[in-house]
Amino acid sequence: MIRHTPLRKKRDSTIPLINVVFLMLVFFLIAGTVAPPLDPNLNLVQTKDLEGREPPDALVLHADGRLSFRGRTTSPDQHILENGTGPSRIVPDRDVPAQRLMEVTSALRRAGASSVILVTERALQ
């Protein structure tokens, strides 16, 4: 009489999963060390107590939607007429609605500005 041995189910191997996790670990270890760390003896400049001022050649877009240039209220068309069609710089208030910012940049481009540059604050985190 012939005996049949029961077939065993082949279990899924976890080796490929371990390999993928290991490769991801190595990738993130290498990617995290691309930028050299700052010298621990370095004291960074503190600017939190300085008075902030916009660049003198930039339009200021206030939180209420007003546009001013060198302290005077203006409009995109008036600004281009008085200052030419070169690049226009805008310093937007942090609380200005994005829709208003887009309206102003579009109006400057329609009025003839060759480009519109947003001036922002860049902080070291």
Side-chain angles (χ1 to χ4, degrees), residues 58-71:
L59 288 160
V60 179
L61 183 57
H62 300 272
D64 61 1
R66 276 182 311 115
L67 192 63
S68 65
F69 183 71
R70 295 183 179 165

Side-chain angles (χ1 to χ4, degrees), residues 43-50:
N43 290 322
L44 296 175
V45 175
Q46 296 288 326
T47 59
K48 64 182 179 181
D49 297 328
L50 296 178

Side-chain angles (χ1 to χ4, degrees), residues 20-86:
V20 168
V21 171
F22 179 71
L23 288 172
M24 289 175 57
L25 176 67
V26 169
F27 170 77
F28 287 114
L29 284 173
I30 292 171
T33 59
V34 169
L38 290 176
D39 183 358
N41 297 325
L42 179 67
N43 290 322
L44 296 175
V45 175
Q46 296 288 326
T47 59
K48 64 182 179 181
D49 297 328
L50 296 178
E51 178 184 343
R53 292 190 182 144
E54 70 276 1
D57 61 341
L59 288 160
V60 179
L61 183 57
H62 300 272
D64 61 1
R66 276 182 311 115
L67 192 63
S68 65
F69 183 71
R70 295 183 179 165
R72 289 185 15 233
T73 301
T74 188
S75 69
D77 293 327
Q78 182 181 1
H79 176 73
I80 295 298
L81 275 173
E82 294 174 356
N83 299 291
T85 58

